Amino acid sequence: MPTVIVDCAIYREGRRTKGPEDFSDALDEARASGDAFLWLGMHEPTEEEFALVSSEFGLHPLAVEDALKAHQRPKLEVYDDSLFVVLKPIAYDVRRDEVTSEELMLFVGDSFVVTVRHGESAPLGVVRSRLEEQPEVLQHGPTAVLYAVSDAVVDHYLDVAGELHLDLETLEEEVFAPGTTDTRTLAARIYNFKRQILEFRRATVPLTTPMLRLTGAGVPFVDEHSRLFFRDVNDHLTRANEGVESLDRLCSDILSAHLAQTGVRQNDDMRKISAWAAMAAVPTMVAGVYGMNFTHMPELDQWWGYPGAVLVMAGAVYGLYRTFKRRGWL
């Protein structure tokens, strides 16, 4: 068990206090005092490692199963003895242009919060340190932890959305830059960017319903006075979702513009090929006529026959060249 328990502490009146090292005894002490709660943080526990925790805290088997599998959509579920919340923190690797999502589960109940983290980028350590510096917030109990974690995750959504907007603007400049020829690579990059936006959307959009529930009344184990704070988180989430929608539309527009540009370039190439083929057809036709070797061809007996034929071919090619050039085909 010690390998998966990141931190375990009792908080009384917003301040961290010393307590039993065993989380079972710590939970009993927190409940007995009446003005304290236990925050137990875990990282990727196995079923065997989590069994004692779920038994001591009275966690519902379905919620425990979801916490262990770690392939869940953001959601909020209410059980008899606890509240189960799933969040998906987002990380963006600028160098690789890759969005990755992880999972963070919170069990909120009577005088306890259990957080289960899957992945490395979840902001729990930072949130815990920040809350310990704000006892006036932490004294509101488990609700304060739920709010602070949700707020940190959603605020990072806005940061990632801003970074994606910057990278998408750079990609847009490359699409409309003159002389862009590497169309296959550019199209693949645009499509890959759209896939990253989809990964981002999977984390932000499903979280809307849980946040709306937390802004209303009647959610057990959540302080009624915290609704305004969750409303602020929901406002930030709305901005993040609007940013995702904007990114998706802009990426689709860029892809459409790129495909249109590719089509225009192909049409230009086909016109150039057609123009050169037309200019080559005229001398080929004239030469073909003289290559039929008929006996009665007056020009064959004249001294000007050969230079006349060459002059006709050159004049026709020059006339076609001027026509195509004036129409922009060459």
Side-chain angles (χ1 to χ4, degrees):
M1 291 301 294
T3 57
V4 298
I5 295 181
V6 179
D7 201 350
C8 179
I10 296 177
Y11 294 90
R12 183 174 287 105
E13 296 182 355
R15 300 187 183 278
R16 183 171 182 145
T17 61
K18 291 183 179 181
E21 294 184 0
D22 183 78
F23 63 82
S24 299
D25 296 336
L27 178 61
D28 292 337
E29 180 178 320
R31 284 176 171 172
S33 66
D35 60 348
F37 73 95
L38 174 68
W39 183 356
L40 176 66
M42 307 185 70
H43 179 232
E44 298 183 356
T46 64
E47 183 175 354
E48 294 77 13
E49 292 168 334
F50 201 57
L52 181 58
V53 174
S54 61
S55 176
E56 290 294 331
F57 287 84
L59 306 181
H60 196 280
L62 293 177
V64 171
E65 182 181 358
D66 290 344
L68 293 174
K69 287 185 176 180
H71 291 289
Q72 308 298 319
R73 288 163 56 91
K75 61 182 179 179
L76 184 152
E77 294 180 347
V78 179
Y79 296 100
D80 293 336
D81 298 322
S82 64
L83 189 71
F84 181 58
V85 180
V86 179
L87 303 172
K88 293 182 76 70
I90 288 292
Y92 180 50
D93 190 336
V94 179
R95 292 174 298 179
R96 299 172 56 187
D97 293 335
E98 183 179 9
V99 172
T100 56
S101 63
E102 299 175 351
E103 294 192 26
L104 178 59
M105 289 81 169
L106 295 93
F107 294 88
V108 180
D110 179 21
S111 302
F112 73 83
V113 176
V114 177
T115 54
V116 181
R117 175 167 57 91
H118 292 268
E120 301 296 334
S121 64
L124 283 182
V126 176
V127 171
R128 188 187 286 262
S129 299
R130 186 185 306 158
L131 280 175
E132 290 178 353
E133 295 175 356
Q134 298 175 313
E136 69 279 3
V137 177
L138 200 54
Q139 67 181 357
H140 291 285
T143 302
V145 177
L146 177 59
Y147 159 72
V149 173
S150 303
D151 186 57
V153 171
V154 172
D155 281 349
H156 191 59
Y157 289 163
L158 296 175
D159 296 335
V160 172
E163 293 175 352
L164 286 171
H165 267 290
L166 291 176
D167 286 354
L168 190 57
E169 288 175 0
T170 301
L171 188 58
E172 183 181 19
E173 291 175 359
E174 293 182 21
V175 169
F176 292 101
T180 302
T181 57
D182 195 1
T183 57
R184 290 185 179 181
T185 302
L186 203 54
R189 288 179 58 195
I190 297 173
Y191 182 75
N192 178 68
F193 204 95
K194 197 169 182 63
R195 293 288 301 176
Q196 306 312 311
I197 296 173
L198 178 60
E199 183 68 21
F200 194 5
R201 182 197 295 271
R202 288 172 180 166
T204 62
V205 174
L207 188 58
T208 302
T209 301
M211 283 297 110
L212 284 175
R213 289 185 64 185
L214 289 172
T215 61
V219 181
F221 308 108
V222 175
D223 189 345
E224 292 293 332
H225 300 290
S226 66
R227 283 183 289 174
L228 289 176
F229 296 96
F230 285 110
R231 190 176 301 168
D232 181 68
V233 176
N234 186 62
D235 290 342
H236 291 181
L237 180 61
T238 301
R239 287 173 51 196
N241 284 328
E242 290 174 351
V244 172
E245 294 296 333
S246 175
L247 283 167
D248 189 53
R249 289 194 301 269
L250 183 57
C251 193
S252 297
D253 292 344
I254 291 174
L255 181 59
S256 299
H258 173 66
L259 294 177
Q261 282 186 329
T262 301
V264 170
R265 293 192 188 101
Q266 289 176 344
N267 289 337
D268 289 341
D269 293 340
M270 288 302 300
R271 286 192 299 181
K272 291 178 181 180
I273 293 172
S274 300
W276 287 110
M279 288 188 291
V282 173
T284 301
M285 181 187 65
V286 175
V289 170
Y290 281 93
M292 290 187 291
N293 296 321
F294 288 127
T295 301
H296 301 289
M297 296 183 71
E299 294 84 355
L300 297 178
D301 298 327
Q302 303 295 331
W303 65 269
W304 49 266
Y306 174 72
V310 172
L311 184 62
V312 169
M313 289 188 288
V317 170
Y318 180 74
L320 289 173
Y321 177 81
R322 289 294 302 274
T323 301
F324 292 143
K325 191 73 173 178
R326 185 169 56 252
R327 294 185 178 181
W329 285 37
L330 292 175

PDB file of all heavy atoms in Angstrom, residues 102-116:
ATOM      1  N   GLU A 102      -5.416  12.323 -19.249  1.00  0.00           N
ATOM      2  CA  GLU A 102      -5.275  11.356 -18.172  1.00  0.00           C
ATOM      3  C   GLU A 102      -6.572  11.350 -17.374  1.00  0.00           C
ATOM      4  O   GLU A 102      -7.554  11.986 -17.782  1.00  0.00           O
ATOM      5  CB  GLU A 102      -4.065  11.718 -17.311  1.00  0.00           C
ATOM      6  CG  GLU A 102      -2.762  11.694 -18.102  1.00  0.00           C
ATOM      7  CD  GLU A 102      -1.565  12.160 -17.309  1.00  0.00           C
ATOM      8  OE1 GLU A 102      -1.759  12.662 -16.183  1.00  0.00           O
ATOM      9  OE2 GLU A 102      -0.429  12.032 -17.806  1.00  0.00           O
ATOM     10  N   GLU A 103      -6.587  10.649 -16.263  1.00  0.00           N
ATOM     11  CA  GLU A 103      -7.830  10.547 -15.502  1.00  0.00           C
ATOM     12  C   GLU A 103      -7.576  10.787 -14.023  1.00  0.00           C
ATOM     13  O   GLU A 103      -6.535  10.394 -13.484  1.00  0.00           O
ATOM     14  CB  GLU A 103      -8.486   9.188 -15.723  1.00  0.00           C
ATOM     15  CG  GLU A 103      -8.951   9.010 -17.157  1.00  0.00           C
ATOM     16  CD  GLU A 103      -9.859   7.811 -17.338  1.00  0.00           C
ATOM     17  OE1 GLU A 103     -10.524   7.416 -16.359  1.00  0.00           O
ATOM     18  OE2 GLU A 103      -9.907   7.289 -18.458  1.00  0.00           O
ATOM     19  N   LEU A 104      -8.527  11.451 -13.425  1.00  0.00           N
ATOM     20  CA  LEU A 104      -8.459  11.795 -12.011  1.00  0.00           C
ATOM     21  C   LEU A 104      -9.831  11.558 -11.395  1.00  0.00           C
ATOM     22  O   LEU A 104     -10.820  12.132 -11.833  1.00  0.00           O
ATOM     23  CB  LEU A 104      -8.042  13.260 -11.853  1.00  0.00           C
ATOM     24  CG  LEU A 104      -7.971  13.829 -10.442  1.00  0.00           C
ATOM     25  CD1 LEU A 104      -6.977  13.047  -9.598  1.00  0.00           C
ATOM     26  CD2 LEU A 104      -7.565  15.295 -10.495  1.00  0.00           C
ATOM     27  N   MET A 105      -9.891  10.676 -10.410  1.00  0.00           N
ATOM     28  CA  MET A 105     -11.141  10.346  -9.750  1.00  0.00           C
ATOM     29  C   MET A 105     -11.146  10.878  -8.329  1.00  0.00           C
ATOM     30  O   MET A 105     -10.113  10.832  -7.643  1.00  0.00           O
ATOM     31  CB  MET A 105     -11.361   8.833  -9.703  1.00  0.00           C
ATOM     32  CG  MET A 105     -11.672   8.203 -11.051  1.00  0.00           C
ATOM     33  SD  MET A 105     -10.213   7.915 -12.050  1.00  0.00           S
ATOM     34  CE  MET A 105     -10.926   6.910 -13.343  1.00  0.00           C
ATOM     35  N   LEU A 106     -12.301  11.361  -7.891  1.00  0.00           N
ATOM     36  CA  LEU A 106     -12.457  11.838  -6.526  1.00  0.00           C
ATOM     37  C   LEU A 106     -13.659  11.163  -5.883  1.00  0.00           C
ATOM     38  O   LEU A 106     -14.756  11.148  -6.458  1.00  0.00           O
ATOM     39  CB  LEU A 106     -12.663  13.357  -6.482  1.00  0.00           C
ATOM     40  CG  LEU A 106     -11.515  14.248  -6.951  1.00  0.00           C
ATOM     41  CD1 LEU A 106     -11.677  14.596  -8.420  1.00  0.00           C
ATOM     42  CD2 LEU A 106     -11.455  15.521  -6.127  1.00  0.00           C
ATOM     43  N   PHE A 107     -13.438  10.593  -4.716  1.00  0.00           N
ATOM     44  CA  PHE A 107     -14.507  10.085  -3.873  1.00  0.00           C
ATOM     45  C   PHE A 107     -14.685  11.077  -2.727  1.00  0.00           C
ATOM     46  O   PHE A 107     -13.754  11.314  -1.949  1.00  0.00           O
ATOM     47  CB  PHE A 107     -14.155   8.709  -3.308  1.00  0.00           C
ATOM     48  CG  PHE A 107     -14.039   7.626  -4.338  1.00  0.00           C
ATOM     49  CD1 PHE A 107     -12.843   7.387  -4.982  1.00  0.00           C
ATOM     50  CD2 PHE A 107     -15.131   6.839  -4.660  1.00  0.00           C
ATOM     51  CE1 PHE A 107     -12.717   6.385  -5.922  1.00  0.00           C
ATOM     52  CE2 PHE A 107     -15.030   5.823  -5.602  1.00  0.00           C
ATOM     53  CZ  PHE A 107     -13.819   5.599  -6.238  1.00  0.00           C
ATOM     54  N   VAL A 108     -15.857  11.663  -2.628  1.00  0.00           N
ATOM     55  CA  VAL A 108     -16.144  12.641  -1.590  1.00  0.00           C
ATOM     56  C   VAL A 108     -17.246  12.080  -0.704  1.00  0.00           C
ATOM     57  O   VAL A 108     -18.323  11.706  -1.200  1.00  0.00           O
ATOM     58  CB  VAL A 108     -16.586  13.994  -2.193  1.00  0.00           C
ATOM     59  CG1 VAL A 108     -16.885  15.003  -1.095  1.00  0.00           C
ATOM     60  CG2 VAL A 108     -15.523  14.524  -3.142  1.00  0.00           C
ATOM     61  N   GLY A 109     -16.960  11.983   0.598  1.00  0.00           N
ATOM     62  CA  GLY A 109     -17.944  11.430   1.516  1.00  0.00           C
ATOM     63  C   GLY A 109     -17.900  12.100   2.871  1.00  0.00           C
ATOM     64  O   GLY A 109     -17.399  13.227   3.011  1.00  0.00           O
ATOM     65  N   ASP A 110     -18.392  11.397   3.854  1.00  0.00           N
ATOM     66  CA  ASP A 110     -18.461  11.914   5.214  1.00  0.00           C
ATOM     67  C   ASP A 110     -17.059  12.034   5.792  1.00  0.00           C
ATOM     68  O   ASP A 110     -16.418  11.040   6.136  1.00  0.00           O
ATOM     69  CB  ASP A 110     -19.314  10.977   6.072  1.00  0.00           C
ATOM     70  CG  ASP A 110     -19.405  11.446   7.520  1.00  0.00           C
ATOM     71  OD1 ASP A 110     -19.162  12.644   7.773  1.00  0.00           O
ATOM     72  OD2 ASP A 110     -19.712  10.608   8.385  1.00  0.00           O
ATOM     73  N   SER A 111     -16.547  13.251   5.864  1.00  0.00           N
ATOM     74  CA  SER A 111     -15.244  13.569   6.469  1.00  0.00           C
ATOM     75  C   SER A 111     -14.066  12.959   5.719  1.00  0.00           C
ATOM     76  O   SER A 111     -13.022  12.699   6.313  1.00  0.00           O
ATOM     77  CB  SER A 111     -15.199  13.102   7.943  1.00  0.00           C
ATOM     78  OG  SER A 111     -16.224  13.698   8.688  1.00  0.00           O
ATOM     79  N   PHE A 112     -14.196  12.756   4.417  1.00  0.00           N
ATOM     80  CA  PHE A 112     -13.043  12.237   3.672  1.00  0.00           C
ATOM     81  C   PHE A 112     -13.109  12.634   2.199  1.00  0.00           C
ATOM     82  O   PHE A 112     -14.181  12.904   1.643  1.00  0.00           O
ATOM     83  CB  PHE A 112     -12.948  10.710   3.794  1.00  0.00           C
ATOM     84  CG  PHE A 112     -13.985   9.952   2.998  1.00  0.00           C
ATOM     85  CD1 PHE A 112     -13.813   9.678   1.653  1.00  0.00           C
ATOM     86  CD2 PHE A 112     -15.148   9.498   3.634  1.00  0.00           C
ATOM     87  CE1 PHE A 112     -14.762   8.969   0.942  1.00  0.00           C
ATOM     88  CE2 PHE A 112     -16.100   8.788   2.930  1.00  0.00           C
ATOM     89  CZ  PHE A 112     -15.911   8.524   1.575  1.00  0.00           C
ATOM     90  N   VAL A 113     -11.926  12.668   1.597  1.00  0.00           N
ATOM     91  CA  VAL A 113     -11.753  12.791   0.155  1.00  0.00           C
ATOM     92  C   VAL A 113     -10.683  11.784  -0.245  1.00  0.00           C
ATOM     93  O   VAL A 113      -9.593  11.767   0.335  1.00  0.00           O
ATOM     94  CB  VAL A 113     -11.301  14.203  -0.266  1.00  0.00           C
ATOM     95  CG1 VAL A 113     -11.032  14.240  -1.764  1.00  0.00           C
ATOM     96  CG2 VAL A 113     -12.337  15.232   0.095  1.00  0.00           C
ATOM     97  N   VAL A 114     -10.994  10.953  -1.210  1.00  0.00           N
ATOM     98  CA  VAL A 114     -10.025  10.011  -1.761  1.00  0.00           C
ATOM     99  C   VAL A 114      -9.817  10.377  -3.226  1.00  0.00           C
ATOM    100  O   VAL A 114     -10.782  10.416  -3.999  1.00  0.00           O
ATOM    101  CB  VAL A 114     -10.503   8.556  -1.639  1.00  0.00           C
ATOM    102  CG1 VAL A 114      -9.490   7.607  -2.300  1.00  0.00           C
ATOM    103  CG2 VAL A 114     -10.697   8.172  -0.183  1.00  0.00           C
ATOM    104  N   THR A 115      -8.584  10.677  -3.586  1.00  0.00           N
ATOM    105  CA  THR A 115      -8.270  11.001  -4.977  1.00  0.00           C
ATOM    106  C   THR A 115      -7.434   9.876  -5.561  1.00  0.00           C
ATOM    107  O   THR A 115      -6.473   9.409  -4.948  1.00  0.00           O
ATOM    108  CB  THR A 115      -7.506  12.329  -5.083  1.00  0.00           C
ATOM    109  OG1 THR A 115      -6.349  12.293  -4.248  1.00  0.00           O
ATOM    110  CG2 THR A 115      -8.383  13.485  -4.662  1.00  0.00           C
ATOM    111  N   VAL A 116      -7.814   9.444  -6.753  1.00  0.00           N
ATOM    112  CA  VAL A 116      -7.097   8.383  -7.468  1.00  0.00           C
ATOM    113  C   VAL A 116      -6.621   8.967  -8.791  1.00  0.00           C
ATOM    114  O   VAL A 116      -7.434   9.385  -9.616  1.00  0.00           O
ATOM    115  CB  VAL A 116      -8.000   7.160  -7.708  1.00  0.00           C
ATOM    116  CG1 VAL A 116      -7.215   6.071  -8.437  1.00  0.00           C
ATOM    117  CG2 VAL A 116      -8.548   6.634  -6.390  1.00  0.00           C
TER     118      VAL A 116
END
